[in-house]
Amino acid sequence: MGLREELPQSLAGVFITAELGRRASTPRNHLREKLAIQDIADRMSDQPKQILPQLVKLAMEISGAESAGISILEQDKELFRWFGLAGVLAAFEGATTPRNDSPCGVCLDFDGPILMDRPERVYAWIADANITVPEVLLVPLRVKGSGAIGTLWLVAKEPGYFDLGHVQATTELAAFAGVALRMIQTEERLNQSLHAQEVLTREMSHRVKNLFALTASMIRMSNRTSSSQAELADKLTGRVLALADANALVRRQFGAGAPDGVGLEELIVRILRPHEHMRSIVRGPALPVGERATNNIALVFHELATNAAKYGALSSEGGTVRVTWTIADQDLHLVWQESGGPLASPPASQGYGSRLVAATVSGLSGKLDYDWARQGLKAEMRFPLASMQA
């Protein structure tokens, strides 16, 4: 079946590709073309983005066309965007045309050179732009590994102009343009990778500084409240391990490219894991937690769990800790509830652990209330969602 027979009926009157074989070929100045392409090739490695407009101008000069340009298929593959326009249509630089309603789309569908006569008779958007196209020659623009991603097109001054000689010259230039496009894509990917690496380096530097600052603060305060090196080591070990656990979650999320943060449930379960021989219930809606809140919440729950293991519900075989949370009015309401342990009573004095919890909650713009009910400690915390997810 011939190409003309495969065309939609609406294009039958403008699709004249078969005419190319019946026209005498225009003599080509191969030496001039070779020198011009060689000059462009010499500059391609330094400034690949500037090559496309030069190729378009060269195509127009070699063919004697009235206008020329390149159409590149956008990522959504629904539109072509015009680049490097030269000649009378240069004012339309950056314009877009529909993939499924344009000569460029037909060219990609047939995957070969096509010729159209006055396509404005079929495509309303050409007529609406007051563009007259006596004849347009289009060849596919291919990039290795991506196939055809656009077209190189030429518009003639009059009908009956283009021939197979023009097709050959334009096809050669289109192949050269495909190489330039591949270089541009490679350069863009490289720049994106370098930028991502720079962002990662800054991010990791920021995290390391924060961890050092937090650890130094814990060492200073633990040292002031410890009576021996053994007590200091015992206090610090649990706190640093809780911080390390939380930071491991942060690193895993960041390394996987998941910007939404660590899940609150996973974080709490991880911190309570050393006490998993005791009964604990962790329940609440899914909530991603940002890096800063992840480290802070880890310290808060480590202190609560440590206190419960020494004096509260986790010190008794039948004890239970229930952690629940709800979200309302852009706030997180988090409850730590102990039961089944020794009778609860408020401490005679506030130790470092209590001060650490209070300071950490306050650092997230949160509020903390203790209820020392006899059946077990209840700690209620409220945080703005914005501070939890920052």
Side-chain angles (χ1 to χ4, degrees):
M1 182 181 290
L3 294 182
R4 191 178 184 90
E5 295 176 287
E6 296 177 14
L7 286 169
Q9 188 63 35
S10 60
L11 293 179
V14 300
F15 191 89
I16 58 170
T17 305
E19 291 291 322
L20 291 168
R22 293 191 281 267
R23 297 176 184 175
S25 294
T26 304
R28 296 174 60 186
N29 188 333
H30 291 281
L31 177 60
R32 177 172 171 268
E33 293 176 18
K34 181 179 178 180
L35 292 174
I37 292 177
Q38 183 177 332
D39 178 60
I40 291 175
D42 290 340
R43 288 177 286 170
M44 182 180 288
S45 59
D46 294 329
Q47 299 173 319
K49 289 185 179 180
Q50 296 183 13
I51 298 303
L52 295 182
Q54 294 177 24
L55 282 171
V56 170
K57 290 180 180 178
L58 180 58
M60 192 173 71
E61 292 171 3
I62 290 175
S63 65
E66 184 179 45
S67 192
I70 286 176
S71 296
I72 304 295
L73 198 58
E74 298 272 79
Q75 286 190 348
D76 59 12
K77 297 188 177 181
E78 294 182 0
L79 295 173
F80 288 99
R81 190 172 296 276
W82 289 2
F83 291 99
L85 272 62
V88 297
L89 297 181
F92 292 92
E93 176 76 20
T96 59
T97 57
R99 163 65 176 86
N100 295 324
D101 186 34
S102 65
C104 293
V106 176
C107 182
L108 293 194
D109 289 340
F110 285 102
D111 196 26
I114 65 169
L115 185 66
M116 285 192 177
D117 172 50
R118 293 177 57 208
E120 66 271 18
R121 291 178 292 162
V122 173
Y123 300 106
W125 56 268
I126 299 179
D128 292 343
N130 293 321
I131 300 175
T132 300
V133 183
E135 195 168 80
V136 58
L137 173 66
L138 304 97
V139 299
L141 195 58
R142 298 182 178 89
V143 173
K144 187 176 181 180
S146 301
I149 63 168
T151 65
L152 172 60
W153 47 265
L154 304 171
V155 174
K157 301 176 183 177
E158 56 192 18
Y161 182 80
F162 292 119
D163 55 43
L164 290 177
H166 295 123
V167 172
Q168 184 179 1
T170 307
T171 300
E172 292 171 0
L173 290 175
F176 205 82
V179 175
L181 278 171
R182 190 180 185 194
M183 292 180 65
I184 292 170
Q185 292 174 349
T186 302
E187 183 181 49
E188 289 175 347
R189 284 195 294 267
L190 177 61
N191 289 335
Q192 290 170 359
S193 298
L194 291 174
H195 176 69
Q197 184 65 39
E198 183 181 351
V199 170
L200 177 61
T201 301
R202 289 200 304 265
E203 175 72 15
M204 294 311 298
S205 175
H206 170 72
R207 292 180 180 197
V208 169
K209 288 178 182 177
N210 283 349
L211 287 173
F212 279 157
L214 194 52
T215 304
S217 174
M218 287 193 299
I219 292 173
R220 288 194 301 270
M221 295 188 71
S222 298
N223 186 51
R224 288 199 298 267
T225 58
S226 301
S227 57
S228 66
Q229 288 185 349
E231 184 182 357
L232 172 62
D234 184 57
K235 287 180 178 180
L236 276 177
T237 299
R239 289 162 183 164
V240 171
L241 287 178
L243 193 59
D245 245 0
N247 200 250
L249 288 176
V250 172
R251 289 200 309 273
R252 190 195 69 195
Q253 292 294 106
F254 187 79
D260 292 336
V262 176
L264 179 59
E265 180 177 352
E266 182 181 8
L267 172 61
I268 295 174
V269 168
R270 178 74 70 93
I271 299 306
L272 294 180
R273 185 172 295 167
H275 310 283
E276 59 187 4
H277 59 286
M278 301 299 182
R279 190 174 176 213
S280 62
I281 299 171
V282 180
R283 191 169 297 161
L287 178 68
V289 182
E291 178 201 349
R292 179 166 173 257
T294 295
N295 290 328
N296 287 8
I297 291 296
L299 289 176
V300 168
F301 277 90
H302 169 73
E303 293 302 323
L304 289 172
T306 299
N307 185 72
K310 288 181 177 180
Y311 315 109
L314 297 184
S315 67
S316 173
E317 188 172 341
T320 299
V321 168
R322 184 182 181 90
V323 183
T324 58
W325 62 92
T326 56
I327 300 171
D329 300 326
Q330 297 301 307
D331 280 343
L332 169 68
H333 181 209
L334 213 162
V335 179
W336 168 281
Q337 176 70 67
E338 300 180 27
S339 61
L343 297 179
S345 60
S349 61
Q350 190 181 45
Y352 167 66
S354 299
R355 294 198 300 273
L356 176 63
V357 170
T360 305
V361 170
S362 178
L364 291 173
S365 302
K367 295 181 179 180
L368 170 64
D369 291 309
Y370 289 113
D371 180 5
W372 296 93
R374 292 177 63 81
Q375 65 269 26
L377 169 65
K378 182 179 182 180
E380 292 190 71
M381 293 161 272
R382 289 186 180 275
F383 301 96
L385 277 182
S387 68
M388 293 297 293
Q389 297 178 322

